[in-house]
Amino acid sequence: MSQTPWNPVVLWSRPEAARAGTPLLVMFHGYLSNEQDLMGLAPLLPQEFTLASVRAPQPLGPGHTWFPLMHEPDFSVEKVTASVGDVWAWLDTVKGNHSSVTLLGFSMGMAVATSALRHRPAEVAAVVGLSGFVIPSGGNPFFDDEATKALRPPVFWGRGDADFVITPDKVAFTHQWLDGHASATKAEYPGMQHNINQEEMEDVRSFLREHVLGRAQVLDGAATPDS
């Protein structure tokens, strides 16, 4: 982990003066992309959220990556944890301004989002994973899967049945991990390849309203004494 907080390039949906007290939705793009990519989803997400789309730290080809691909010789779980540790170091500088933190990732970005959840599950309201996967921990203690399992956080996982980018072993492990550690909402979209469609985003919007915004309203009501 870096000695000083990572200072990433972040694209925000609101000016700083308008963010206080809003629920934060942090977005992690996929391999060889950038922070502009997922901000196009903003009109399809609940407007109560402040969106923060984060650029991955490592320049590569036409974009950026969070860590090497799993089949590459220089991949290691330690490189995943270093990247996700930097994400948390940055999150610690901004999360106090918000009512909750939710994570959304596409493709490799889902691996980042779920890894961040597994490191500090009590601090994440929910995770949305789109056409992505969960990383096997290899026994690395950075992943607090026991605490995650105890909390069973809400996780949405959407994918297309024609997505051949995410390999069957990754799909199988993701199913297994979600079943054992999360309160999972799984959705598979006929004919969809390695992308996102309108139907999926409608499901994501409903998921966020139920599990983040709805949950916050319930908690607020429980904290307010009857008049």
Side-chain angles (χ1 to χ4, degrees):
M1 188 182 297
S2 301
Q3 295 300 308
T4 56
W6 178 44
N7 186 27
V9 175
V10 182
L11 186 61
W12 293 89
S13 65
R14 281 189 173 96
E16 187 171 2
R19 298 174 199 161
T22 60
L24 177 63
L25 179 60
V26 184
M27 302 192 292
F28 305 104
H29 62 75
Y31 184 65
L32 303 185
S33 190
N34 60 53
E35 71 282 1
Q36 300 283 342
D37 186 35
L38 294 177
M39 195 53 86
L41 301 177
L44 306 175
L45 293 164
Q47 297 305 296
E48 292 91 335
F49 285 94
T50 291
L51 310 182
S53 189
V54 184
R55 179 190 294 178
Q58 301 168 27
L60 184 66
H64 296 77
T65 188
W66 299 96
F67 46 81
L69 295 173
M70 289 178 65
H71 65 267
E72 294 178 336
D74 57 341
F75 171 83
S76 69
V77 173
E78 288 71 27
K79 289 183 178 178
V80 176
T81 62
S83 183
V84 176
D86 282 344
V87 166
W88 267 114
W90 168 74
L91 268 173
D92 282 338
T93 69
V94 299
K95 65 184 178 66
N97 198 37
H98 297 275
S99 57
S100 64
V101 174
T102 300
L103 309 176
L104 180 153
F106 174 77
S107 193
M108 180 186 280
M110 178 180 172
V112 176
T114 53
S115 295
L117 168 72
R118 294 161 72 187
H119 184 52
R120 287 159 63 173
E123 299 179 46
V124 177
V127 167
V128 173
L130 307 175
S131 300
F133 58 99
V134 174
I135 289 278
S137 71
N140 191 302
F142 182 89
F143 298 88
D144 196 347
D145 280 348
E146 285 304 310
T148 307
K149 182 177 181 179
L151 289 170
R152 291 275 176 173
V155 178
F156 177 93
W157 181 35
R159 62 182 306 274
D161 66 359
D163 182 354
F164 302 113
V165 173
I166 306 304
T167 54
D169 59 315
K170 294 184 182 68
V171 173
F173 180 80
T174 301
H175 274 296
Q176 177 187 21
W177 187 89
L178 289 173
D179 288 345
H181 299 85
S183 176
T185 300
K186 301 177 183 178
E188 189 171 84
Y189 301 94
M192 190 174 84
Q193 300 179 12
H194 192 62
N195 51 32
I196 301 166
N197 67 18
Q198 180 74 31
E199 181 184 358
E200 182 176 34
M201 290 311 301
E202 290 172 0
D203 292 340
V204 168
R205 187 166 60 241
S206 296
F207 172 85
L208 292 172
R209 288 205 174 279
E210 178 180 354
H211 293 284
V212 181
L213 302 179
R215 173 70 174 162
Q217 290 174 352
V218 169
L219 292 175
D220 286 346
T224 302
D226 293 336
S227 56

